[in-house]
Amino acid sequence: MRRAIARIVPEAFAAGVAGLIASFAVAGLTPAFVGAPIDSFLARAMPGAVVTFAIETFGSLGQRLNFLTALFIAAALLGVVATIGVLAGRAIERPVIGVGLSALLAGLVANGLTGAPGAATATGIAVATVVAAGEIRLPQGEAEFSTARRRTLVALASVAGVSTLSIAVADRGFDQTTGTEPSSDMQGNDASFDGDDIPTLLDEANEKSLDVAGIEPLVSEKFYTVDINSVDPTLDTEDWSLTITGAVESETTITYDDLTGMGPENRFVTLRCVGEDLNGKKMDNALWTGVPITDMLAAANPQGNYVMLRAADDYFEEFPIAALERAFLAYGMNGDVLPRGHGYPVRALVPGHWGEINVKWLTEIEVLEQEMDGYWEKRGWHGTGPVNTVAKIHAVNHLEDGRIQVGGHAYAGTRGISRVEVSTDGGKYWQEATLSDPLPGEDVWRQWMIEYDPPSGKHEVVARATDANGTLQEQEPSKSFPSGPTGWVRETVTPQ
Ligand SMILES: Nc1nc2c(c(=O)[nH]1)N[C@H]1C(S)=C(S)[C@@H](COP(=O)(O)O)O[C@H]1N2
Ligand SMILES: [Mo]
């Protein structure tokens, strides 16, 4: 019996992989994909210290490893039910019944995990197809050697299958900074906001962007994403609503039509992730379309000093209600409907605060009388407050005339940036950088750049920003955990 099972393992796993691929083919990178619930379970079950370690060590690679693990578990799980089907079929010497049973079980497991019968049916059929190929077509009495080799080949092919799938998914999903193409229901909403001044504002950002190769323009071309799950929720505007609950005098429900009917505003807002490296790329700016939250909140008549924002991906973040005073509910980004990856259909934007409280796929604002920990705070982070001031160095260009050009972005949340200084000798002598003209808005980054005649050898370029209150960027370096990176960015430059 033990040997029999051991021999089935590679084929059963191959059947599992086939089921996984079929699920992905039908569902894509959505919660209906059988790997998605396992991925999100793993992400939640992981202790905070492990998550933090993974973020600091691997960055978004940690999330990919989590996803790859989820894919293997999903394939294994489907493989187990395929095995049960095969063994049952063999026990009664009716392989066809075994095949049918494995299809049924695989379909049930997939449906149980995702609640998506369409993709689950495809999963069941794919699992059964591979099981049938092994159980029915395989000629009996094959030489021991050839079947052993066959098992090895099948096992290798399966591992390759899962890996390829996870790479394909990674390319489609994680690196996609602007979300998936809108589904038809999203396109239906394309014209739902009147964006008269959007082209003008985008032009303004374009014109004010400095001419420095290698840095993002003032409206980012690739806006970063940070998500607790590898698979984003798929919401549609008809079912979406935002409720204001908890310690309020009157609970309020706001629909998508309510929101888009309120008369839009367009605001430039910059986001930065508390978990990024000091000179990292998780800081970006966009033009967002939406409405201020103030009146909606006032209508509910809140009786507490804190709010918990909750989202469709089970994300939650808590902070003082005062921070919501100037917050914004965004449903558009750079003139388009808010992309799925950035929180479609509606996200919160909280000026000047770390990205983590800018909750995407927002569904509920719960007013609290007592403080509580949010998702990241439960894992040891302190990222609900205002951002640290930073000047980043993202481009070092050797110009044709022999000079060196250095540039980047500076950001200080709602404090604003008043000055960026640059040293080309490791911090002894400082000169003031050129800043891009400010964009309208209370929470927008700026670009900076300098050009200089290079000294003869290697030298260290250092950048530091001063916020509009006159406070110089913290010099003492610290890691991103738990409350965001500090220190001055330094780059060693070698003249060409
Ligand atoms: N629902 C939800 N909202 C979320 C997150 C999330 O995982 N789920 N990540 C947060 C974090 S840590 C950051 S830095 C910002 C990033 O926003 P972006 O992905 O649009 O750049 O979203 C925040 N909002
Ligand atoms: Mo973040």
Side-chain angles (χ1 to χ4, degrees):
M1 178 72 173
R2 247 199 167 152
R3 264 176 77 91
I5 294 183
R7 283 185 189 174
I8 298 172
V9 166
E11 252 168 49
F13 190 66
V17 172
L20 200 63
I21 291 171
S23 173
F24 183 68
V26 173
L29 199 58
T30 69
F33 171 52
V34 70
I38 299 175
D39 171 79
S40 93
F41 171 79
L42 287 179
R44 266 171 203 67
M46 212 72 82
V50 177
V51 177
T52 301
F53 172 79
I55 289 175
E56 284 186 342
T57 318
F58 308 120
S60 45
L61 191 67
Q63 192 173 29
R64 287 165 198 227
L65 286 175
N66 190 76
F67 193 61
L68 186 64
T69 312
L71 294 189
F72 272 100
I73 293 176
L77 207 62
L78 294 171
V80 167
V81 299
T83 308
I84 295 172
V86 167
L87 290 179
R90 286 183 186 176
I92 55 170
E93 288 175 11
R94 300 279 296 278
V96 177
I97 293 192
V99 170
L101 195 60
S102 55
L104 181 69
L105 291 175
L108 286 176
V109 164
N111 191 52
L113 283 168
T114 59
T121 307
T123 307
I125 292 171
V127 167
T129 307
V130 174
V131 169
E135 289 299 288
I136 300 170
R137 275 219 322 262
L138 188 73
Q140 294 300 301
E142 222 179 310
E144 189 66 13
F145 171 74
S146 89
T147 53
R149 206 167 69 173
R150 187 168 171 277
R151 280 200 298 275
T152 312
L153 283 175
V154 168
L156 287 176
S158 316
V159 171
V162 179
S163 309
T164 312
L165 181 62
S166 77
I167 291 164
V169 167
D171 287 346
R172 262 180 66 166
F174 304 150
D175 291 339
Q176 196 158 42
T177 50
T178 48
T180 35
E181 312 89 87
S183 71
S184 51
D185 59 302
M186 299 188 199
Q187 277 160 349
N189 287 309
D190 232 349
S192 67
F193 53 87
D194 137 52
D196 277 355
D197 53 346
I198 292 175
T200 320
L201 286 165
L202 290 175
D203 279 349
E204 181 179 345
N206 211 12
E207 275 154 26
K208 286 182 173 172
S209 294
L210 298 177
D211 184 20
V212 177
I215 64 173
E216 283 274 20
L218 285 170
V219 166
S220 300
E221 275 160 0
K222 271 193 137 199
F223 202 109
Y224 81 94
T225 53
V226 175
D227 302 301
I228 57 167
N229 296 314
S230 301
V231 180
D232 297 334
T234 39
L235 303 179
D236 72 62
T237 52
E238 259 131 65
D239 302 333
W240 179 87
S241 69
L242 170 65
T243 52
I244 305 180
T245 64
V248 292
E249 226 153 63
S250 40
E251 281 208 3
T252 311
T253 302
I254 296 141
T255 66
Y256 191 76
D257 287 343
D258 294 340
L259 208 66
T260 49
M262 280 178 205
E265 272 181 37
N266 298 297
R267 294 187 187 176
F268 290 108
V269 177
T270 302
L271 290 182
R272 183 185 181 200
C273 183
V274 69
E276 76 155 356
D277 294 337
L278 175 63
N279 199 36
K281 293 269 170 80
K282 287 176 180 160
M283 179 169 101
D284 279 298
N285 184 57
L287 178 66
W288 308 86
T289 303
V291 287
I293 213 167
T294 327
D295 293 346
M296 287 174 250
L297 202 61
N301 203 351
Q303 306 294 309
N305 290 326
Y306 307 95
V307 283
M308 179 72 84
L309 269 52
R310 297 185 192 278
D313 59 347
D314 290 336
Y315 185 73
F316 52 97
E317 277 299 340
E318 187 257 23
F319 50 93
I321 196 167
L324 271 193
E325 269 308 302
R326 286 142 82 195
F328 197 60
L329 293 177
Y331 53 84
M333 186 181 185
N334 300 333
D336 291 321
V337 167
L338 188 66
R340 183 174 154 222
H342 295 290
Y344 179 84
V346 177
R347 80 174 302 165
L349 292 173
V350 188
H353 289 251
W354 292 111
E356 63 163 63
I357 68 168
N358 291 254
V359 175
K360 306 190 271 188
W361 311 289
L362 181 68
T363 55
E364 184 185 349
I365 298 176
E366 186 189 356
V367 178
L368 303 175
E369 284 162 357
Q370 306 277 319
E371 280 192 86
M372 271 174 77
D373 279 339
Y375 180 92
W376 288 114
E377 285 54 49
K378 278 186 189 292
R379 288 160 178 78
W381 291 83
H382 296 286
T384 63
V387 292
N388 299 339
T389 299
V390 70
K392 299 192 182 191
I393 304 176
H394 279 167
V396 177
N397 299 321
H398 302 268
L399 303 176
E400 269 170 22
D401 63 6
R403 287 162 69 82
I404 294 180
Q405 180 190 55
V406 184
H409 295 86
Y411 179 52
T414 50
R415 296 182 299 278
I417 289 289
S418 64
R419 176 168 55 199
V420 170
E421 293 163 290
V422 179
S423 168
T424 58
D425 59 5
K428 283 184 218 91
Y429 172 78
W430 294 88
Q431 67 189 103
E432 201 157 326
T434 304
L435 284 179
S436 58
D437 287 333
L439 286 173
E442 59 164 345
D443 181 27
V444 196
W445 68 3
R446 297 182 64 177
Q447 294 169 317
W448 63 267
M449 72 99 159
I450 59 153
E451 287 175 15
Y452 62 96
D453 293 315
S456 54
K458 257 193 201 173
H459 55 282
E460 194 181 38
V461 176
V462 194
R464 64 182 192 193
T466 299
D467 71 22
N469 299 335
T471 308
L472 181 64
Q473 178 179 337
E474 167 80 62
Q475 179 178 4
E476 192 63 40
S478 71
K479 284 184 162 194
S480 59
F481 184 79
S483 42
T486 60
W488 296 345
V489 175
R490 296 166 185 275
E491 287 292 330
T492 303
V493 175
T494 314
Q496 278 177 345

